Amino acid sequence: MVVTTLQSWPEPVVRVQSLSDSGINAIPECYVKPIYDRPSSLDLQSKEANIPLIDLANLDSDDPTLRKATMDLISAASHHWGFFQVINHGVSYRLMESTRRIWREFFHLPLHVKQAYANSPTTYEGYGSRLGVAKGAKLDWSDYFFLHFLPVSMRDVRKWPAQPLSCRELVGEYNEEVMKLCGRLMKVFSLNLGLEEDYLENAFGGEEIGASLRVNFYPKCPQPDLTLGISPHSDPGGFTILLPDDHVSGLQVRKDDAWVTVKPIPNAFIINLADQLQVISNAKYRSVEHRVVVNSNEERVSLAFFYNPRGDILIQPAERLITNEEPALYPPMTFNEYRTFIRLNGLHGKTQVESLKSPR
């Protein structure tokens, strides 16, 4: 695992929720984004645009035609969008709602209770309000809680919130169920590339893959046109399963030269392909830039479950996908090395994985 040697944050940490609750009319300068990064209605595609919605019910059908039709939809979405929503995915709707609700309750606990889980830049695990350790950096309008789930050697339930009382139990159950969905999707991603169904899982490290959960809390913002909940980026790992807020949108996905606001579907997950799948697929799958906007009327809670390769295993384009006409676009690199590369070069967004491409 990649860690930074800095043991504490370069500046005092201010909880964004505390700023929001204080009734301020103007956000502090450190949250004001450069003009080119601010959200604008001019950036957006039509209100009718949305990422693909795919029903997974037929993945287990006895009819091969129905199975293939669903797999083809996933293949097209992975290639053209890098994002899609899924319904009938096998995770209990009750569990989804209960887990989201208990995390909302956590963020509304008294500050001193949450502060007991305050994180540091050593591992980021715990209750946080910033990413990155650059002094004077522009910050995002969000708080979060980050925890490790896999490998088991990194899982420390004592670092998970003990309050609300059923939080640890629900989080464990939720993570287990989402992991099952990850396993199903990895098989589909493999088969759609013409590989054995367990190829990608094995390439990620088999039973030693990494998985973590980041719960995002976006408080109401008095000047949402000046800031972002999360700045534009692509996810560095394998792929992400996002449980969005059930009634407030905020996620935006880059499509061509515009931002598309994702409209959450009840009881659906949002699937987000990340950089390592783009590398292994030799760019047949897309890892796409995305961001989060905030608003002045409502808070938002979302749960991002990250499915990642083992940190020390080499990730490279699958040999079967390499031909004279389509040579390998990316050099071999471990996930740990990749995260270090991003951090040292200050990369984010679409420049992350694209910057690795070999000249043709």
Side-chain angles (χ1 to χ4, degrees):
M1 176 184 179
V2 174
V3 298
T4 174
T5 56
L6 193 63
Q7 299 298 310
S8 61
W9 300 108
E11 298 149 329
V13 174
V14 177
R15 302 305 178 189
V16 177
Q17 187 178 7
S18 297
L19 288 174
S20 178
D21 290 346
S22 71
I24 58 173
N25 295 316
I27 62 175
E29 184 64 26
C30 60
Y31 297 97
V32 177
K33 302 294 184 181
I35 292 176
Y36 57 81
D37 264 348
R38 296 176 191 173
S40 167
S41 58
L42 299 177
D43 293 335
L44 304 180
Q45 289 191 348
S46 70
K47 293 182 180 179
E48 287 72 36
N50 201 5
I51 62 174
L53 173 64
I54 302 174
D55 188 336
L56 298 187
N58 287 327
L59 277 184
D60 299 318
S61 172
D62 292 331
D63 185 338
T65 304
L66 293 177
R67 286 200 308 273
K68 184 178 186 305
T70 303
M71 292 176 65
D72 287 347
L73 290 173
I74 294 173
S75 180
S78 301
H79 177 72
H80 295 293
W81 282 87
F83 270 84
F84 54 94
Q85 295 193 70
V86 295
I87 56 175
N88 292 318
H89 41 64
V91 179
S92 160
Y93 299 158
R94 176 202 59 78
L95 179 61
M96 295 165 67
E97 172 57 32
S98 297
T99 307
R100 183 171 47 206
R101 182 178 64 249
I102 208 158
W103 277 112
R104 191 184 300 274
E105 291 174 5
F106 169 81
F107 283 105
H108 283 285
L109 290 172
L111 182 58
H112 74 272
V113 176
K114 293 179 289 188
Q115 284 293 105
Y117 301 97
N119 70 353
S120 76
T122 305
T123 67
Y124 288 96
E125 191 166 16
Y127 175 50
S129 298
R130 67 177 292 164
L131 295 172
V133 294
K135 190 171 184 179
K138 292 296 184 182
L139 304 179
D140 292 334
W141 191 263
S142 57
D143 298 325
Y144 64 88
F145 198 104
F146 179 80
L147 58 87
H148 294 292
F149 187 64
L150 292 175
V152 175
S153 60
M154 292 190 65
R155 187 190 310 173
D156 188 349
V157 178
R158 295 169 301 178
K159 294 181 179 179
W160 301 4
Q163 294 185 50
L165 289 179
S166 57
C167 187
R168 289 177 177 173
E169 177 184 353
L170 271 176
V171 170
E173 183 181 356
Y174 175 84
N175 288 351
E176 291 286 359
E177 291 303 307
V178 173
M179 271 299 299
K180 294 176 184 177
L181 176 57
C182 289
R184 294 177 69 200
L185 289 173
M186 283 289 273
K187 291 178 179 179
V188 174
F189 292 148
S190 289
L191 292 171
N192 278 343
L193 290 171
L195 306 171
E196 295 82 6
E197 70 172 14
D198 60 352
Y199 181 93
L200 288 176
E201 184 174 347
N202 290 335
F204 272 30
E207 296 182 357
E208 294 299 315
I209 62 96
S212 55
L213 179 71
R214 174 177 154 142
V215 185
N216 305 298
F217 183 79
Y218 305 101
K220 290 182 284 188
C221 179
Q223 295 178 298
D225 55 325
L226 298 182
T227 191
L228 290 166
I230 296 182
S231 298
H233 67 286
S234 63
D235 290 357
F239 69 100
T240 304
I241 294 187
L242 180 73
L243 175 60
D245 197 286
D246 54 345
H247 65 285
V248 186
S249 60
L251 174 65
Q252 294 183 334
V253 174
R254 172 79 73 177
K255 178 63 172 171
D256 301 322
D257 294 324
W259 291 102
V260 174
T261 299
V262 176
K263 304 165 189 65
I265 304 297
N267 302 318
F269 282 116
I270 296 170
I271 310 301
N272 164 200
L273 278 68
D275 294 352
Q276 304 308 303
L277 277 185
Q278 179 165 325
V279 170
I280 292 182
S281 71
N282 207 36
K284 288 180 171 57
Y285 291 158
R286 295 186 63 204
S287 177
V288 173
E289 192 178 13
H290 51 286
R291 68 182 186 181
V292 174
V293 296
V294 292
N295 68 83
S296 58
N297 299 316
E298 297 183 271
E299 67 185 34
R300 292 181 63 246
V301 174
S302 67
L303 285 68
F305 187 88
F306 303 109
Y307 186 95
N308 297 328
R310 199 179 77 199
D312 61 353
I313 195 168
L314 276 179
I315 302 297
Q316 58 191 321
E319 185 175 347
R320 191 179 299 179
L321 303 180
I322 306 307
T323 65
N324 290 334
E325 293 73 27
E326 296 185 11
L329 296 175
Y330 310 98
M333 184 178 291
T334 69
F335 186 39
N336 284 347
E337 290 170 340
Y338 182 70
R339 287 183 289 188
T340 300
F341 172 77
I342 293 171
R343 179 168 54 83
L344 293 180
N345 289 278
L347 299 174
H348 67 89
K350 60 186 177 183
T351 60
Q352 281 183 187
V353 70
E354 293 299 320
S355 66
L356 288 180
K357 276 189 175 179
S358 306
R360 301 185 72 165

